Amino acid sequence: MKILLLGGGGREHAFAWKLAQDPGCSQLFIAPGNAGTAECGANIALSATDFPGIKNFVLTNAIQMVIVGPEEPLVRGIVDFFQNDPELSAVDIIGPSATGAQLEGSKAFAKKFMARHDIPTARYAEVTTTEAGADFLKTLKPPYVLKADGLAAGKGVLILDDYNEAVSALQTMLDGQFGEASRRVVIEEFLSGIEFSVFALTDGKTYRILPEAKDYKRIGEGDTGLNTGGMGAVSPVPFVTPELWQKVENRIIRPTVAGLSAENIDYKGFVFFGLINVEGEPYVIEYNCRMGDPETEVVFPRLKNHLTELFNSLMAGRLDVVRMETIPETAATVMLVADGYPGDYRKGDELRIVMRREGSLYLHAGTRNTDGKVLTNGGRVMAITSFGQSVAEAVGRSVEAAEGVVFEGKYFRRDIGKDLEGF
Ligand code: AMP
Ligand code: GLY
């Protein structure tokens, strides 16, 4: 099968790495890809949101399956674009329809969906005026959680300790701090607990669960400083006991898929459940309509099944007969980022692997090839994944590998997984 993969980050290198070993994938193209995906297939100079360009490429190259990595093309309706175009409707595309993608594209949509299907989540109000928000904030205890309704590149959530600060932050958001995305704001009760991520692949009726993961969002060690796209991840997550898994599946995953089905929402792709464990009870913090980054960099290395087996079963409505097989060892990824990230960061520095660690997987994120050199090309530059018998061993190996990669201004966290040591 000829496959086109959309996206160009660490997640997409993990997809491409899996597909490169997959007997069901005869030829792989990645748009736009990065210096790492170029080793797994052919990079195409096309943006993942250039729908007409993608159409042209798919038709010219007789692509049979399109896999959508990032959320933006999904929220913009790439799946509907394929289904509504007579020339493209026979091409399999992995991802939800625009309506399904609203689980991520609109926090208000997601909250209402959860309310309709009795899925545990923080109490909330959806507001478009500061007055209404100020009234609701009075019913909550600090800290206060404010979320831009729409996509804001992972930056749209603010957490404030003080009522007056929260009201003024709300005003700034509604005034367009995140453009149209924050003209509507979801205000939430703050949930206190430890977060983890769960992934399901669904055809909108049945589902299969992938290994869970925990990511590390803050730039600084000890989980301090600004939020990032993710500085590292581990899988499995030691505190996710069989008992907690049962609750996650019964109260969250199953009702979510049943809700999609009951509402006739076309959803053939991944659902990412951002969860929080509050004293043994799981709640949904957020949904995403795609795999996580850097969670994919630990989840896929643990997955024994080939992706084409999963996707072909999904498309045939036979996901329920697939047996998921997982490597039991712990995988940990450490993200190497550019100086300045998550603010303005350096770009265009040469990256070299001066000491390659046997057994570690070097997944490129923000990189590109120029004249035979690999140059940094994004805030998150490279994710290095290693296996170990424990979180500490797996992280230690990735940190060791990270030492052997050089580029100007390299930074990474050495404390990924440290908080899991007590479990
Ligand atoms: P999101 O972009 O929705 O993942 O939110 C970013 C981060 O904000 C989450 O990973 C949580 O750490 C935090 N957060 C979001 N909602 C809540 C909440 N209701 N209670 C506590 N923390 C939250
Ligand atoms: N690592 C969080 C995300 O992919 O959104």
Side-chain angles (χ1 to χ4, degrees), residues 31 43 52 59-60 119 129 193 266 289 303 308 335 345 377 409 420:
N43 285 351
L59 295 178
T60 313
I119 294 166
T129 66
D266 180 24
C289 62
L303 186 67
T308 59
M335 188 66 78
Y345 52 81
N377 191 39
L420 298 175

Side-chain angles (χ1 to χ4, degrees), residues 11 215 217 229-230 272 286 288 290-295 380:
R11 168 183 49 216
D215 82 337
K217 288 209 166 74
F272 167 150
E286 63 164 348
N288 292 315
R290 36 112 192 142
M291 283 299 291
D293 193 352
E295 290 93 333
R380 294 193 292 173

